[in-house]
PDB file of all heavy atoms in Angstrom:
ATOM      1  N   TRP A   2       4.756  11.843   6.469  1.00  0.00           N
ATOM      2  CA  TRP A   2       3.554  11.140   6.002  1.00  0.00           C
ATOM      3  C   TRP A   2       3.359   9.795   6.566  1.00  0.00           C
ATOM      4  O   TRP A   2       2.317   9.347   6.787  1.00  0.00           O
ATOM      5  CB  TRP A   2       3.607  11.042   4.448  1.00  0.00           C
ATOM      6  CG  TRP A   2       3.232  12.400   3.875  1.00  0.00           C
ATOM      7  CD1 TRP A   2       4.076  13.294   3.144  1.00  0.00           C
ATOM      8  CD2 TRP A   2       1.854  12.957   3.762  1.00  0.00           C
ATOM      9  NE1 TRP A   2       3.357  14.362   2.753  1.00  0.00           N
ATOM     10  CE2 TRP A   2       2.022  14.223   3.122  1.00  0.00           C
ATOM     11  CE3 TRP A   2       0.630  12.572   4.180  1.00  0.00           C
ATOM     12  CZ2 TRP A   2       1.011  15.073   2.874  1.00  0.00           C
ATOM     13  CZ3 TRP A   2      -0.337  13.419   4.120  1.00  0.00           C
ATOM     14  CH2 TRP A   2      -0.228  14.685   3.360  1.00  0.00           C
ATOM     15  N   CYS A  44      -5.230  10.616  -0.608  1.00  0.00           N
ATOM     16  CA  CYS A  44      -5.098   9.376  -1.368  1.00  0.00           C
ATOM     17  C   CYS A  44      -3.640   9.086  -1.614  1.00  0.00           C
ATOM     18  O   CYS A  44      -2.968   9.968  -2.354  1.00  0.00           O
ATOM     19  CB  CYS A  44      -5.980   9.418  -2.679  1.00  0.00           C
ATOM     20  SG  CYS A  44      -5.823   7.946  -3.736  1.00  0.00           S
ATOM     21  N   VAL A  45      -3.159   8.034  -1.206  1.00  0.00           N
ATOM     22  CA  VAL A  45      -1.697   7.640  -1.470  1.00  0.00           C
ATOM     23  C   VAL A  45      -1.712   6.831  -2.687  1.00  0.00           C
ATOM     24  O   VAL A  45      -2.371   5.863  -2.894  1.00  0.00           O
ATOM     25  CB  VAL A  45      -1.202   6.747  -0.279  1.00  0.00           C
ATOM     26  CG1 VAL A  45       0.221   6.287  -0.633  1.00  0.00           C
ATOM     27  CG2 VAL A  45      -1.275   7.502   1.027  1.00  0.00           C
ATOM     28  N   LEU A  46      -0.879   7.497  -3.693  1.00  0.00           N
ATOM     29  CA  LEU A  46      -0.756   6.877  -5.046  1.00  0.00           C
ATOM     30  C   LEU A  46       0.660   6.179  -5.035  1.00  0.00           C
ATOM     31  O   LEU A  46       1.601   7.042  -5.025  1.00  0.00           O
ATOM     32  CB  LEU A  46      -0.849   7.876  -6.130  1.00  0.00           C
ATOM     33  CG  LEU A  46      -2.283   8.452  -6.375  1.00  0.00           C
ATOM     34  CD1 LEU A  46      -2.167   9.555  -7.401  1.00  0.00           C
ATOM     35  CD2 LEU A  46      -3.171   7.332  -6.862  1.00  0.00           C
ATOM     36  N   ALA A  47       0.712   4.847  -5.156  1.00  0.00           N
ATOM     37  CA  ALA A  47       1.938   4.165  -5.147  1.00  0.00           C
ATOM     38  C   ALA A  47       1.959   3.371  -6.466  1.00  0.00           C
ATOM     39  O   ALA A  47       1.729   2.184  -6.580  1.00  0.00           O
ATOM     40  CB  ALA A  47       2.114   3.270  -3.976  1.00  0.00           C
ATOM     41  N   LEU A  48       2.117   4.090  -7.646  1.00  0.00           N
ATOM     42  CA  LEU A  48       2.062   3.610  -8.842  1.00  0.00           C
ATOM     43  C   LEU A  48       3.429   3.630  -9.579  1.00  0.00           C
ATOM     44  O   LEU A  48       4.156   4.525  -9.280  1.00  0.00           O
ATOM     45  CB  LEU A  48       1.019   4.262  -9.768  1.00  0.00           C
ATOM     46  CG  LEU A  48      -0.370   4.348  -9.359  1.00  0.00           C
ATOM     47  CD1 LEU A  48      -1.236   5.294 -10.153  1.00  0.00           C
ATOM     48  CD2 LEU A  48      -0.987   3.001  -9.368  1.00  0.00           C
ATOM     49  N   TRP A  59       2.475   5.717 -18.366  1.00  0.00           N
ATOM     50  CA  TRP A  59       2.406   5.770 -16.916  1.00  0.00           C
ATOM     51  C   TRP A  59       2.347   7.303 -16.417  1.00  0.00           C
ATOM     52  O   TRP A  59       1.542   7.633 -15.616  1.00  0.00           O
ATOM     53  CB  TRP A  59       3.559   5.036 -16.191  1.00  0.00           C
ATOM     54  CG  TRP A  59       3.615   5.297 -14.736  1.00  0.00           C
ATOM     55  CD1 TRP A  59       2.847   4.660 -13.782  1.00  0.00           C
ATOM     56  CD2 TRP A  59       4.478   6.232 -14.084  1.00  0.00           C
ATOM     57  NE1 TRP A  59       3.190   5.203 -12.540  1.00  0.00           N
ATOM     58  CE2 TRP A  59       4.160   6.181 -12.702  1.00  0.00           C
ATOM     59  CE3 TRP A  59       5.400   7.173 -14.470  1.00  0.00           C
ATOM     60  CZ2 TRP A  59       4.861   6.959 -11.660  1.00  0.00           C
ATOM     61  CZ3 TRP A  59       6.058   7.879 -13.500  1.00  0.00           C
ATOM     62  CH2 TRP A  59       5.728   7.780 -12.171  1.00  0.00           C
ATOM     63  N   MET A  63      -0.652   8.923 -14.411  1.00  0.00           N
ATOM     64  CA  MET A  63      -0.430   9.507 -13.098  1.00  0.00           C
ATOM     65  C   MET A  63      -0.878  10.968 -13.053  1.00  0.00           C
ATOM     66  O   MET A  63      -1.615  11.247 -12.084  1.00  0.00           O
ATOM     67  CB  MET A  63       1.057   9.426 -12.702  1.00  0.00           C
ATOM     68  CG  MET A  63       1.390   9.931 -11.345  1.00  0.00           C
ATOM     69  SD  MET A  63       0.619   9.061  -9.992  1.00  0.00           S
ATOM     70  CE  MET A  63       1.990   7.990  -9.427  1.00  0.00           C
ATOM     71  N   ALA A  64      -0.535  11.750 -14.044  1.00  0.00           N
ATOM     72  CA  ALA A  64      -1.107  13.075 -14.116  1.00  0.00           C
ATOM     73  C   ALA A  64      -2.588  13.182 -14.081  1.00  0.00           C
ATOM     74  O   ALA A  64      -3.208  13.910 -13.471  1.00  0.00           O
ATOM     75  CB  ALA A  64      -0.484  13.823 -15.335  1.00  0.00           C
ATOM     76  N   PHE A  66      -4.643  10.783 -12.719  1.00  0.00           N
ATOM     77  CA  PHE A  66      -5.048  10.507 -11.449  1.00  0.00           C
ATOM     78  C   PHE A  66      -5.041  11.655 -10.480  1.00  0.00           C
ATOM     79  O   PHE A  66      -5.824  11.968  -9.694  1.00  0.00           O
ATOM     80  CB  PHE A  66      -4.201   9.356 -10.841  1.00  0.00           C
ATOM     81  CG  PHE A  66      -4.505   7.970 -11.390  1.00  0.00           C
ATOM     82  CD1 PHE A  66      -3.511   7.153 -11.823  1.00  0.00           C
ATOM     83  CD2 PHE A  66      -5.781   7.456 -11.544  1.00  0.00           C
ATOM     84  CE1 PHE A  66      -3.772   5.781 -12.349  1.00  0.00           C
ATOM     85  CE2 PHE A  66      -6.093   6.279 -12.043  1.00  0.00           C
ATOM     86  CZ  PHE A  66      -5.057   5.471 -12.453  1.00  0.00           C
ATOM     87  N   ILE A  67      -3.890  12.345 -10.562  1.00  0.00           N
ATOM     88  CA  ILE A  67      -3.654  13.579  -9.706  1.00  0.00           C
ATOM     89  C   ILE A  67      -4.835  14.578 -10.040  1.00  0.00           C
ATOM     90  O   ILE A  67      -5.334  15.232  -9.022  1.00  0.00           O
ATOM     91  CB  ILE A  67      -2.331  14.180  -9.835  1.00  0.00           C
ATOM     92  CG1 ILE A  67      -1.275  13.169  -9.349  1.00  0.00           C
ATOM     93  CG2 ILE A  67      -2.204  15.568  -9.210  1.00  0.00           C
ATOM     94  CD1 ILE A  67       0.224  13.467  -9.719  1.00  0.00           C
ATOM     95  N   LEU A  70      -8.092  13.518  -8.520  1.00  0.00           N
ATOM     96  CA  LEU A  70      -8.144  13.696  -7.035  1.00  0.00           C
ATOM     97  C   LEU A  70      -8.413  15.135  -6.811  1.00  0.00           C
ATOM     98  O   LEU A  70      -9.246  15.405  -5.896  1.00  0.00           O
ATOM     99  CB  LEU A  70      -6.901  13.187  -6.437  1.00  0.00           C
ATOM    100  CG  LEU A  70      -6.621  11.620  -6.486  1.00  0.00           C
ATOM    101  CD1 LEU A  70      -5.256  11.255  -6.091  1.00  0.00           C
ATOM    102  CD2 LEU A  70      -7.656  11.000  -5.536  1.00  0.00           C
ATOM    103  N   ALA A  76      -6.394  15.319  -1.511  1.00  0.00           N
ATOM    104  CA  ALA A  76      -5.009  15.624  -1.574  1.00  0.00           C
ATOM    105  C   ALA A  76      -4.204  14.345  -1.870  1.00  0.00           C
ATOM    106  O   ALA A  76      -4.260  13.486  -1.214  1.00  0.00           O
ATOM    107  CB  ALA A  76      -4.508  16.224  -0.294  1.00  0.00           C
ATOM    108  N   PRO A  77      -3.453  14.454  -3.092  1.00  0.00           N
ATOM    109  CA  PRO A  77      -2.696  13.228  -3.539  1.00  0.00           C
ATOM    110  C   PRO A  77      -1.357  13.213  -2.688  1.00  0.00           C
ATOM    111  O   PRO A  77      -0.778  14.212  -2.429  1.00  0.00           O
ATOM    112  CB  PRO A  77      -2.449  13.460  -5.034  1.00  0.00           C
ATOM    113  CG  PRO A  77      -2.579  14.804  -5.184  1.00  0.00           C
ATOM    114  CD  PRO A  77      -3.499  15.430  -4.105  1.00  0.00           C
ATOM    115  N   VAL A  78      -0.979  11.993  -2.365  1.00  0.00           N
ATOM    116  CA  VAL A  78       0.382  11.780  -1.689  1.00  0.00           C
ATOM    117  C   VAL A  78       0.948  10.765  -2.648  1.00  0.00           C
ATOM    118  O   VAL A  78       0.492   9.616  -2.821  1.00  0.00           O
ATOM    119  CB  VAL A  78       0.163  11.076  -0.265  1.00  0.00           C
ATOM    120  CG1 VAL A  78       1.468  10.792   0.331  1.00  0.00           C
ATOM    121  CG2 VAL A  78      -0.726  12.068   0.633  1.00  0.00           C
ATOM    122  N   LEU A  79       2.029  11.202  -3.206  1.00  0.00           N
ATOM    123  CA  LEU A  79       2.735  10.311  -4.242  1.00  0.00           C
ATOM    124  C   LEU A  79       3.854   9.543  -3.692  1.00  0.00           C
ATOM    125  O   LEU A  79       4.688  10.110  -2.891  1.00  0.00           O
ATOM    126  CB  LEU A  79       3.213  11.324  -5.331  1.00  0.00           C
ATOM    127  CG  LEU A  79       2.172  12.232  -5.913  1.00  0.00           C
ATOM    128  CD1 LEU A  79       2.915  13.112  -7.033  1.00  0.00           C
ATOM    129  CD2 LEU A  79       1.100  11.461  -6.437  1.00  0.00           C
ATOM    130  N   CYS A  80       3.841   8.230  -4.014  1.00  0.00           N
ATOM    131  CA  CYS A  80       4.878   7.332  -3.587  1.00  0.00           C
ATOM    132  C   CYS A  80       5.530   6.655  -4.851  1.00  0.00           C
ATOM    133  O   CYS A  80       4.812   6.483  -5.902  1.00  0.00           O
ATOM    134  CB  CYS A  80       4.400   6.247  -2.694  1.00  0.00           C
ATOM    135  SG  CYS A  80       3.660   6.959  -1.206  1.00  0.00           S
ATOM    136  N   THR A  81       6.772   6.227  -4.783  1.00  0.00           N
ATOM    137  CA  THR A  81       7.382   5.385  -5.845  1.00  0.00           C
ATOM    138  C   THR A  81       8.082   4.314  -5.284  1.00  0.00           C
ATOM    139  O   THR A  81       8.266   4.188  -4.167  1.00  0.00           O
ATOM    140  CB  THR A  81       8.388   6.305  -6.662  1.00  0.00           C
ATOM    141  OG1 THR A  81       9.354   6.731  -5.805  1.00  0.00           O
ATOM    142  CG2 THR A  81       7.769   7.450  -7.390  1.00  0.00           C
TER     143      THR A  81
END
Side-chain angles (χ1 to χ4, degrees):
W2 281 108
C44 180
V45 177
L46 290 173
L48 299 172
W59 170 80
M63 181 64 101
F66 285 134
I67 292 167
L70 288 170
V78 179
L79 308 179
C80 299
T81 58

